[in-house]
């Protein structure tokens, strides 16, 4: 499939990082507010709601660290595999949000946007991989020149 849009995998990871930051800050804020309310009402201890929101924030933080590490990978085929997993992850979160909680329309929109953007990046990456197969590296060009000189 020929795609005119050339999106590098790095851009898709950055978009995923930004959306993960939105989730992280939202759930961290809600967790702190729930903790303060629970502390005022019941004294000490942690509520399951506070722990759930803190764990979602922690998971988003770990995902951000993973996306940062994914940016450093140079191989396009590895990016394709990783982006397929990222697409499946964001799409499943999108579908779950649509089924369970359609009232949080901002999160539905954000996850749908990231999922669609990752899909477009995947199609663009397929074309980039095909183009890369048809080009020679600097070392291959050098070796071919050396071979041509010997004849």
């Amino acid at each position: 499939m020929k795609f005119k849009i050339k999106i590098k995998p790095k851009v898709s990871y950055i978009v995923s990082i930004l959306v993960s930051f939105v989730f992280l800050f939202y759930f961290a804020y809600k967790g702190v507010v729930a903790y303060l309310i629970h502390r005022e009402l019941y004294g000490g201890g942690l509520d399951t709601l506070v722990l759930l929101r803190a764990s979602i924030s922690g998971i988003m933080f770990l995902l951000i660290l993973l996306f940062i590490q994914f940016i450093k990978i140079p191989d396009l085929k590895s990016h394709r595999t990783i982006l397929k997993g990222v697409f499946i992850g964001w799409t499943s979160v999108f579908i779950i949000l649509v089924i369970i909680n359609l009232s949080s329309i901002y999160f539905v929109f954000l996850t749908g946007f990231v999922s669609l953007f990752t899909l477009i990046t995947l199609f663009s990456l397929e074309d980039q991989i095909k183009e890369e197969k048809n080009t020679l590296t600097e070392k291959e060009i050098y070796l071919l020149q050396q071979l041509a000189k010997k004849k």
Side-chain angles (χ1 to χ4, degrees), residues 65-77:
L65 293 178
L66 272 176
F67 288 135
I68 291 171
Q69 293 301 316
F70 291 158
I71 290 174
K72 298 176 184 177
I73 297 174
D75 184 33
L76 289 180
K77 290 183 181 179

Side-chain angles (χ1 to χ4, degrees), residues 1-9 12 76 79-85 87 91 114-132:
M1 176 188 259
K2 281 287 183 187
F3 240 60
K4 292 182 180 180
I5 302 172
K6 299 286 185 204
I7 301 174
K8 295 189 179 215
S12 181
L76 289 180
H79 281 297
R80 180 178 59 191
T81 305
I82 292 168
L83 282 175
K84 283 179 184 177
F87 172 71
T91 304
V114 173
S115 179
L116 182 66
F117 191 80
T118 305
L119 183 65
I120 292 170
T121 305
L122 270 171
F123 288 141
S124 172
L125 192 60
E126 292 290 334
D127 293 338
Q128 291 174 22
I129 290 173
K130 288 177 186 174
E131 288 174 7
E132 186 182 79

